[in-house]
Amino acid sequence: MSTLNLRAKALSDVMGRQTKEVNPPSSRISDYYGVNVFNDQAMRMFLTVDAYNAVRSAIDRGERIDRRLADQVASGMKEWAASKGATHYTHWFQPLNGSSAEKHDAFFEPLGEGRSIERFDGGMLVQQEPDASSFPSGGIRNTFEARGYSAWDPGSPAFLIHNTLCIPTIFVSWTGEALDFKTPLLRSIRALDEAATAVCQYFDKDVKKVIATLGWEQEYFLIDESFYYARPDIMMAGRALFGHGPARGQQLEDHYFGSIPDRTHAFMREFETESLKLGIPVKTRHNEVAPNQFECAPVYEEMNLAVDHNMLLMDVMEKTARKHDLRVLFHEKPYSGVNGSGKHNNWSLATDTGVNLLRPAKTPKENIQFLAFFTNTIAAVHAHADVLRASIASAGNDHRLGANEAPPAIISVFIGGYLSGLLDDLEKNIKATMSPASKTELKLDIGRIPQVMLDNTDRNRTSPFAFTGNKFEFRAPGSSANCAGAMTVMNTIVAAQLRAFKKDVDALVDKGVKKDEAILRTIRDLIVHSKPVRFEGNGYSDAWKEEAAKRKLPNFPDTPRALDAWSRRETIALFRDTGVLSETEIKARHGIELHNYTLKVQIESRVCADMALNHVLPAAVQYQNRLIENVRGLREVMGAQAAEGATVTQVDLIRRISEHMEQVRTLSVGMTKARKAANTITDERERAIAYCDTVKPFMDQIRYHSNKLELLVDDELWPLPKMRELLFTR
Ligand code: ADP
Ligand code: MG
């Protein structure tokens, strides 16, 4: 075996690993929670009253901060950051390449003659022009102007990482087009606030604002750093393109909620401590279903903040993992044959009066409000299931959706037996003209939504979109995704639906129908129309695919075609009318998503061919040579005829190795050809489809034959850490 066999080295590294415990600064989280955030407490300490009030009204009411006050805010922020040792600042934003971006500048400014000052003013706080020409813009910047601007988002507090003050910003072109995830998210939050507040007015005049809330659950895999370096596929593409399934996978289900391994535990404690210092309210941690798979979840927050916190958390996790000789895999499907990773998005709406609009309440009146928001959400998902599907489409998620305990690509809504029964009753009972008696009865019925429902006993893990007692849980988003993608769509479709709802109710009221009855009648219409999207059965079953087709629910199994939703007229109108995305922005995003898809599959395909030809084949040849030597030796010693019986197994192995090697080679050549052909296509959509239909299938076939070789070749010679090692060593 060559001394460079990284697998052997990795195995020995892993055996020698030590757990690196880092204790939190205090056993009481409240002692250090948020210490690295310029939060309300810090603002009160470091800002003038005027500056403080300006930031508060920007946060609470979206009001603009004038330049003079911005200077004061900047100065206070700098003081605070410097008091904690910060020397640099950066605008922190979320471009469409899927990660977060930062460019650090020092506060320091030379004055000449060897003197210098620390400078950070309102201008630097409010707006920057990062050299951002390499971020994806979908042609927006080429068409108009090359420049992109980052602009301060006061809704998300500045924070400190190492010695840098990070200022959350949006990222837009000079003509104001969104070049990031956050701009449309903020617009959608506002659209939803307006539409939902208007509907709340039917029930409670005191409601002035409705806040979208998000509680995400982040799933991930851990892998030892030495294994990571020995697997070019995982290093380059985030997932294993090779590897025979281990004898034992997740069938024993002994990992889920099992005791957390020591090294993992030390890693979790440290990244949680760092996250808590950054004000990320992480609360829950547990093992996930697959071996070496875990989950982290915070307490839910206002959505804009929750999105930032998720991006930040992923960053903190990656940095912390390295300290523990680990790597975090956020890929949706690092290992075929075991569960993939998702990022459940728990979505709800809260009023500024403290009511969760998706929590069934005690009084009949409040429950009509609950039902209004509940049924409007279902109706929105029904009407725009295609865009919701598009919002979670990615090369990685394609492997996960519909495979091993992940929701299918068909968007349906699960609400549980009790609420299904209730909606069915409402559908039957609310007549176009209601007698006063039946109305009271109905209201009483609604008033009796039992509290037991809130226990979440009625759980269906097979649904992509499930009501879980006081919120909807969107389970389809992929683990590596920015939550903002799915949440922007969610907010937008519900905003549009609530607007339509209000219009319908008002129209009935104008015709003389009493308000309560108008609301109930409109709710009934929603229940009737959105019925096909409700599904309580097993979402993993094939029967559901057939049933869904009968119900005319869209089912797009792959990303390039799922993304078509973005070019539909209805989608463009929806986003334009709600003010969330212009047609130009939608087109740009659609192009970027297609391009990202192509790039991902292209990288995978390159790594795959490289590994097939330069790792797998040489190992197979080496073992085959040993066999050949053995056969030759036996013939020499025993004589050709006498050796025949003694060499049957070896000769058979030699032949089978040759067959699979030939397949691996031919398929790799074929894949490279397919890639070259795809690369000549200029249309972004056509090219993505070519990668999906003609390049991607080769990888599965190459994996198949390589896995056969893995089973034939001497374990000692196999260069790639095997699946059992990746999944079961810790
Ligand atoms: P689980 O789904 O694991 O049973 P919970 O139901 O308690 O756990 O919550 C799961 C996630 O849902 C958590 O991240 C939590 O913060 C979030 N969540 C709870 N209530 C809300 C809400 N009103 N809005 C948004 N997210 C919520
Ligand atoms: Mg959950």
PDB file of all heavy atoms in Angstrom, residues 514-526:
ATOM      1  N   LYS A 514     -73.919  40.542   6.578  1.00  0.00           N
ATOM      2  CA  LYS A 514     -73.283  40.936   7.834  1.00  0.00           C
ATOM      3  C   LYS A 514     -71.835  40.475   7.871  1.00  0.00           C
ATOM      4  O   LYS A 514     -71.487  39.430   7.302  1.00  0.00           O
ATOM      5  CB  LYS A 514     -74.048  40.344   9.025  1.00  0.00           C
ATOM      6  CG  LYS A 514     -75.282  41.179   9.363  1.00  0.00           C
ATOM      7  CD  LYS A 514     -75.875  40.773  10.686  1.00  0.00           C
ATOM      8  CE  LYS A 514     -74.899  41.023  11.828  1.00  0.00           C
ATOM      9  NZ  LYS A 514     -75.379  40.429  13.095  1.00  0.00           N
ATOM     10  N   LYS A 515     -70.985  41.237   8.542  1.00  0.00           N
ATOM     11  CA  LYS A 515     -69.539  40.999   8.480  1.00  0.00           C
ATOM     12  C   LYS A 515     -69.161  39.562   8.849  1.00  0.00           C
ATOM     13  O   LYS A 515     -68.447  38.890   8.096  1.00  0.00           O
ATOM     14  CB  LYS A 515     -68.804  41.982   9.401  1.00  0.00           C
ATOM     15  CG  LYS A 515     -67.298  41.941   9.221  1.00  0.00           C
ATOM     16  CD  LYS A 515     -66.588  42.874  10.192  1.00  0.00           C
ATOM     17  CE  LYS A 515     -66.479  42.217  11.553  1.00  0.00           C
ATOM     18  NZ  LYS A 515     -65.877  43.064  12.575  1.00  0.00           N
ATOM     19  N   ASP A 516     -69.669  39.078   9.995  1.00  0.00           N
ATOM     20  CA  ASP A 516     -69.291  37.722  10.426  1.00  0.00           C
ATOM     21  C   ASP A 516     -69.690  36.670   9.400  1.00  0.00           C
ATOM     22  O   ASP A 516     -68.952  35.741   9.102  1.00  0.00           O
ATOM     23  CB  ASP A 516     -69.952  37.374  11.763  1.00  0.00           C
ATOM     24  CG  ASP A 516     -69.167  37.951  12.931  1.00  0.00           C
ATOM     25  OD1 ASP A 516     -68.157  38.643  12.645  1.00  0.00           O
ATOM     26  OD2 ASP A 516     -69.560  37.722  14.077  1.00  0.00           O
ATOM     27  N   GLU A 517     -70.875  36.872   8.845  1.00  0.00           N
ATOM     28  CA  GLU A 517     -71.347  35.894   7.881  1.00  0.00           C
ATOM     29  C   GLU A 517     -70.517  35.974   6.600  1.00  0.00           C
ATOM     30  O   GLU A 517     -70.163  34.946   6.000  1.00  0.00           O
ATOM     31  CB  GLU A 517     -72.822  36.116   7.572  1.00  0.00           C
ATOM     32  CG  GLU A 517     -73.371  34.952   6.794  1.00  0.00           C
ATOM     33  CD  GLU A 517     -74.859  35.104   6.454  1.00  0.00           C
ATOM     34  OE1 GLU A 517     -75.565  35.823   7.195  1.00  0.00           O
ATOM     35  OE2 GLU A 517     -75.279  34.515   5.449  1.00  0.00           O
ATOM     36  N   ALA A 518     -70.187  37.189   6.200  1.00  0.00           N
ATOM     37  CA  ALA A 518     -69.365  37.366   4.996  1.00  0.00           C
ATOM     38  C   ALA A 518     -68.022  36.658   5.176  1.00  0.00           C
ATOM     39  O   ALA A 518     -67.520  35.987   4.261  1.00  0.00           O
ATOM     40  CB  ALA A 518     -69.148  38.851   4.724  1.00  0.00           C
ATOM     41  N   ILE A 519     -67.454  36.798   6.365  1.00  0.00           N
ATOM     42  CA  ILE A 519     -66.164  36.148   6.639  1.00  0.00           C
ATOM     43  C   ILE A 519     -66.315  34.630   6.568  1.00  0.00           C
ATOM     44  O   ILE A 519     -65.551  33.945   5.896  1.00  0.00           O
ATOM     45  CB  ILE A 519     -65.625  36.586   8.026  1.00  0.00           C
ATOM     46  CG1 ILE A 519     -65.235  38.062   7.985  1.00  0.00           C
ATOM     47  CG2 ILE A 519     -64.427  35.730   8.441  1.00  0.00           C
ATOM     48  CD1 ILE A 519     -64.909  38.654   9.337  1.00  0.00           C
ATOM     49  N   LEU A 520     -67.347  34.127   7.229  1.00  0.00           N
ATOM     50  CA  LEU A 520     -67.522  32.668   7.244  1.00  0.00           C
ATOM     51  C   LEU A 520     -67.811  32.116   5.851  1.00  0.00           C
ATOM     52  O   LEU A 520     -67.306  31.060   5.478  1.00  0.00           O
ATOM     53  CB  LEU A 520     -68.652  32.288   8.208  1.00  0.00           C
ATOM     54  CG  LEU A 520     -68.216  32.312   9.678  1.00  0.00           C
ATOM     55  CD1 LEU A 520     -69.420  32.178  10.600  1.00  0.00           C
ATOM     56  CD2 LEU A 520     -67.201  31.210   9.971  1.00  0.00           C
ATOM     57  N   ARG A 521     -68.583  32.854   5.097  1.00  0.00           N
ATOM     58  CA  ARG A 521     -68.882  32.375   3.744  1.00  0.00           C
ATOM     59  C   ARG A 521     -67.621  32.344   2.884  1.00  0.00           C
ATOM     60  O   ARG A 521     -67.398  31.428   2.102  1.00  0.00           O
ATOM     61  CB  ARG A 521     -69.912  33.295   3.092  1.00  0.00           C
ATOM     62  CG  ARG A 521     -71.326  32.831   3.371  1.00  0.00           C
ATOM     63  CD  ARG A 521     -72.188  33.213   2.208  1.00  0.00           C
ATOM     64  NE  ARG A 521     -73.164  34.227   2.593  1.00  0.00           N
ATOM     65  CZ  ARG A 521     -73.841  34.963   1.706  1.00  0.00           C
ATOM     66  NH1 ARG A 521     -73.593  34.839   0.419  1.00  0.00           N
ATOM     67  NH2 ARG A 521     -74.712  35.840   2.130  1.00  0.00           N
ATOM     68  N   THR A 522     -66.816  33.386   3.042  1.00  0.00           N
ATOM     69  CA  THR A 522     -65.580  33.417   2.250  1.00  0.00           C
ATOM     70  C   THR A 522     -64.632  32.313   2.702  1.00  0.00           C
ATOM     71  O   THR A 522     -63.974  31.670   1.878  1.00  0.00           O
ATOM     72  CB  THR A 522     -64.909  34.809   2.365  1.00  0.00           C
ATOM     73  OG1 THR A 522     -65.916  35.805   2.175  1.00  0.00           O
ATOM     74  CG2 THR A 522     -63.823  34.997   1.327  1.00  0.00           C
ATOM     75  N   ILE A 523     -64.588  32.080   4.003  1.00  0.00           N
ATOM     76  CA  ILE A 523     -63.770  30.969   4.512  1.00  0.00           C
ATOM     77  C   ILE A 523     -64.245  29.652   3.904  1.00  0.00           C
ATOM     78  O   ILE A 523     -63.450  28.809   3.487  1.00  0.00           O
ATOM     79  CB  ILE A 523     -63.838  30.900   6.060  1.00  0.00           C
ATOM     80  CG1 ILE A 523     -63.043  32.055   6.673  1.00  0.00           C
ATOM     81  CG2 ILE A 523     -63.324  29.553   6.580  1.00  0.00           C
ATOM     82  CD1 ILE A 523     -63.095  32.124   8.192  1.00  0.00           C
ATOM     83  N   ARG A 524     -65.563  29.510   3.833  1.00  0.00           N
ATOM     84  CA  ARG A 524     -66.098  28.267   3.275  1.00  0.00           C
ATOM     85  C   ARG A 524     -65.638  28.087   1.822  1.00  0.00           C
ATOM     86  O   ARG A 524     -65.226  26.997   1.417  1.00  0.00           O
ATOM     87  CB  ARG A 524     -67.615  28.276   3.338  1.00  0.00           C
ATOM     88  CG  ARG A 524     -68.205  27.017   2.743  1.00  0.00           C
ATOM     89  CD  ARG A 524     -69.722  27.041   2.785  1.00  0.00           C
ATOM     90  NE  ARG A 524     -70.244  25.844   2.146  1.00  0.00           N
ATOM     91  CZ  ARG A 524     -70.433  25.728   0.845  1.00  0.00           C
ATOM     92  NH1 ARG A 524     -70.137  26.728   0.032  1.00  0.00           N
ATOM     93  NH2 ARG A 524     -70.905  24.599   0.348  1.00  0.00           N
ATOM     94  N   ASP A 525     -65.693  29.181   1.051  1.00  0.00           N
ATOM     95  CA  ASP A 525     -65.236  29.082  -0.340  1.00  0.00           C
ATOM     96  C   ASP A 525     -63.780  28.631  -0.403  1.00  0.00           C
ATOM     97  O   ASP A 525     -63.403  27.819  -1.245  1.00  0.00           O
ATOM     98  CB  ASP A 525     -65.362  30.442  -1.040  1.00  0.00           C
ATOM     99  CG  ASP A 525     -66.817  30.767  -1.352  1.00  0.00           C
ATOM    100  OD1 ASP A 525     -67.654  29.832  -1.276  1.00  0.00           O
ATOM    101  OD2 ASP A 525     -67.114  31.940  -1.650  1.00  0.00           O
ATOM    102  N   LEU A 526     -62.986  29.183   0.495  1.00  0.00           N
ATOM    103  CA  LEU A 526     -61.561  28.805   0.519  1.00  0.00           C
ATOM    104  C   LEU A 526     -61.416  27.318   0.814  1.00  0.00           C
ATOM    105  O   LEU A 526     -60.608  26.625   0.212  1.00  0.00           O
ATOM    106  CB  LEU A 526     -60.803  29.599   1.586  1.00  0.00           C
ATOM    107  CG  LEU A 526     -60.666  31.105   1.383  1.00  0.00           C
ATOM    108  CD1 LEU A 526     -59.891  31.712   2.551  1.00  0.00           C
ATOM    109  CD2 LEU A 526     -59.956  31.398   0.077  1.00  0.00           C
TER     110      LEU A 526
END
